[in-house]
Amino acid sequence: YELIIMQNQISITIDAVQEQAIVDKVNELSAVLPAGLVTLGETELSALPKMGDKSLAFVEKCLDSATKNPGVCPPFVDLEELRRDLAAYHALNRLHRVLGQVAAPVASSATVAGSDAYTAALAIYSMAREAARRGVAGAKDIHTDLSARFPGRGKAAKEA
C-alpha cells in the first residue's frame, strides 16, 4: 500500500463570470494585435536560429555596416525588411515580457492545480486498490475501472 502525501499547493476558485471577463479581455487584446503573427510548433521553433543578446548586437552591427557600406550587403537582403523585422523583434519582446507577467502565473497555477488534483486522484485510486484487496463491497469494480488509466501494469502484466 503506497502512501501518497498530499500537498495542497493551491486553492483558488475562478467562477464563470471571472473566467468570461478574462476571456473577453484576451479577445480585446487579440483584436489589436497586428495581422501576420505566426504560431509555430516545437519542431519548427527548434529549427530556427535564435536571437539572444549577443546575436542582437551582431544583427544591429550588421544592419549598421550594410547601411553605411551598401557594397557589403548581398543583393537579396532587403535592408528595409531587416529594419522592420528588427523593430518587430524589439516590440514583440517587450509585449512578450508584459504578457508573460499574466501568462506565466496562469500556466504555473494550472500546472499546480492539475498536480494537486492528480495527486488527490492517485490517493483515491490507491485507497480503492487497498479496499479491493480487503474485499470492501464495490471496491473491486471501482479499482478495475480506474486501473484502465495504467495499462500494462499490475499482476497480469508482470506475469506475462
Side-chain angles (χ1 to χ4, degrees):
Y1 170 62
E2 297 171 20
L3 176 63
I4 297 175
I5 300 175
M6 298 293 300
Q7 294 181 345
N8 191 34
Q9 301 173 75
I10 192 168
S11 183
I12 62 173
T13 302
I14 300 172
D15 63 34
V17 172
Q18 259 182 315
E19 185 176 352
Q20 189 58 54
I22 293 166
V23 168
D24 291 345
K25 293 294 182 187
V26 169
N27 288 337
E28 284 180 42
L29 285 173
S30 294
V32 297
L33 288 173
L37 293 178
V38 296
T39 301
L40 302 177
E42 284 185 40
T43 303
E44 295 163 310
L45 281 172
S46 66
L48 293 174
K50 309 298 185 292
M51 185 157 61
D53 291 341
K54 290 180 184 177
S55 301
L56 175 59
F58 172 77
V59 169
E60 289 172 338
K61 202 173 265 193
C62 284
L63 176 58
D64 185 53
S65 295
T67 301
K68 291 177 182 171
N69 304 288
V72 302
C73 183
F76 55 84
V77 173
D78 181 342
L79 289 181
E80 284 310 307
E81 184 59 32
L82 174 54
R83 280 186 190 86
R84 274 192 299 278
D85 288 345
L86 190 56
Y89 172 81
H90 284 297
L92 291 167
N93 268 330
R94 288 189 299 269
L95 290 172
H96 185 255
R97 281 192 297 277
V98 170
L99 293 170
Q101 294 172 5
V102 174
V106 169
S108 293
S109 296
T111 299
V112 171
S115 176
D116 280 357
Y118 187 51
T119 301
L122 287 172
I124 292 167
Y125 173 71
S126 186
M127 185 61 79
R129 182 179 56 214
E130 186 59 28
R133 284 183 188 153
R134 293 175 186 255
V136 174
K140 183 173 175 48
D141 290 340
I142 293 169
H143 178 258
T144 299
D145 184 40
L146 295 175
S147 66
R149 165 65 176 90
F150 305 103
R153 298 184 188 172
K155 289 180 185 176
K158 289 177 187 173
E159 291 170 2

